[in-house]
Amino acid sequence: MQSPPPTSGKVLLDGLDLTGIHGRALRELRGRFQMIFQDPLSSLNPVKTVGASVELPLLAARVEKRDAVRMLAQEAFKAVGLDPEQHYNRKPSELSGGQCQRVCIARALISSPELLVCDEPVSSLDVSVQAQIINLLRDLKASHGLSMLFISHDLAVVKNICDRVAVMYLGRICEIATCEALYGMPSHPYTAALLAAVPRPDPLYPLPDIGLLPGELPSPLDPPSGCRFRTRCSRAQDRCASEQPELREMVTGHLVACHYPLWGGV
Ligand code: SF4
């Protein structure tokens, strides 16, 4: 099945625009990037064993013989902390959510990808299991030399695993920085509001004076003119309604799309 074409933009992998590649050429490239989805149970075939699901990417790519694929799949099971003897022939419904997510990670790893796209990979799991999966992803990132694109609404999880963070509002990136810079000194008003809204488990911690964001999230189908955040931003001025702010670098590696940032303005 052909995926719908993008309405605009490009998807670049090492300078290669993936939106212009189809069929066999795309199939051959797919091993280089793999994905982990939000709900592990629904991203596994319920009638196949989890071992068969992990084998599938290599069998579909026809790059290895069946015996070799079985061996690689069992190694992938071990890499994610599952015992092949115990788990390989189980169905997804016989495993816990955390174990299913480990299977999905094994399925992603078996083709030795360079890039792993993790779309809210822990948001459907219990908090204690979340920590195990985050630790596993962090270890695999180091041991397999993986690049990860980690998509999440959970700022604590992002801080725990990411090196660089891009904050998005209504479909546009408003700030990019290293984790340390972004959490230590946010420059975009939306980033500051997001961080101020993180609950602190400390009754003596003073409430931030930035308060809740006013208004509702506008429809992405009909976003505000100029800066998309302007209807909720306490710093908005006339220019914000007429001119869309572009990302600009304020200090090395720290980019902000705002006419009147909290710091670093001209
Ligand atoms: S461009 Fe204007 S409205 Fe948008 S975030 Fe900056 S100050 Fe606020």
Side-chain angles (χ1 to χ4, degrees):
M1 192 173 75
Q2 188 137 342
S3 41
T7 46
S8 65
K10 293 177 177 175
V11 181
L12 297 175
L13 181 75
D14 265 349
L16 205 61
D17 184 4
L18 300 181
T19 60
I21 302 174
H22 306 286
R24 186 172 172 184
L26 184 59
R27 255 197 321 278
E28 283 172 3
L29 268 176
R30 278 210 176 109
R32 294 180 62 188
F33 52 92
Q34 288 291 307
M35 181 134 184
I36 301 171
F37 299 93
Q38 182 169 355
D39 180 358
L41 199 57
S42 66
S43 66
L44 290 168
N45 188 329
V47 298
K48 279 188 184 294
T49 64
V50 291
S53 287
V54 172
E55 291 176 11
L56 197 60
L58 287 189
L59 292 177
R62 297 191 195 120
V63 287
E64 300 280 359
K65 296 235 165 62
R66 190 166 273 279
D67 286 352
V69 169
R70 169 66 57 108
M71 220 175 67
L72 288 168
Q74 297 197 346
E75 276 171 23
F77 262 65
K78 289 181 196 158
V80 298
L82 291 174
D83 178 3
E85 298 252 317
Q86 213 185 326
H87 300 113
Y88 206 81
N89 291 318
R90 302 264 190 105
K91 300 271 175 60
S93 59
E94 297 173 298
L95 300 180
S96 69
Q99 286 172 327
C100 282
Q101 196 58 302
R102 286 175 190 266
V103 170
C104 293
I105 297 170
R107 181 178 59 182
L109 287 182
I110 196 170
S111 7
S112 304
E114 298 154 44
L115 172 69
L116 203 53
V117 179
C118 307
D119 184 9
E120 300 266 16
V122 295
S123 60
S124 66
L125 304 176
D126 292 344
V127 174
S128 59
V129 182
Q130 283 189 2
Q132 293 169 14
I133 298 294
I134 292 293
N135 288 340
L136 172 65
L137 286 172
R138 213 174 24 202
D139 292 348
L140 292 171
K141 188 173 107 181
S143 61
H144 288 61
L146 282 170
S147 295
M148 279 190 198
L149 179 61
F150 195 93
I151 303 157
S152 179
H153 287 92
D154 188 329
L155 292 174
V157 168
V158 169
K159 190 176 185 184
N160 207 298
I161 196 167
C162 296
D163 302 310
R164 292 183 79 217
V165 184
V167 178
M168 293 187 83
Y169 180 79
L170 217 59
R172 287 185 71 88
I173 292 179
C174 44
E175 184 160 5
I176 303 176
T178 60
C179 223
E180 202 181 11
L182 191 108
Y183 284 76
M185 215 163 64
S187 179
H188 195 283
Y190 177 58
T191 312
L194 267 186
L195 294 178
V198 174
R200 264 74 172 181
D202 178 358
L204 301 177
Y205 187 84
L207 286 175
D209 58 10
I210 193 158
L212 290 173
L213 286 181
E216 298 288 324
L217 189 70
S219 164
L221 296 176
D222 183 23
S225 62
C227 174
R228 294 184 172 201
F229 187 53
R230 72 176 169 80
T231 52
R232 309 177 77 194
C233 179
S234 59
R235 297 168 71 85
Q237 300 184 35
D238 290 348
R239 182 181 174 199
C240 304
S242 58
E243 197 182 318
Q244 180 171 287
E246 298 299 334
L247 274 174
R248 62 193 167 85
E249 193 164 33
M250 300 183 309
V251 293
T252 309
H254 198 146
L255 292 86
V256 174
C258 176
H259 297 310
Y260 309 104
L262 298 173
W263 63 269
V266 284

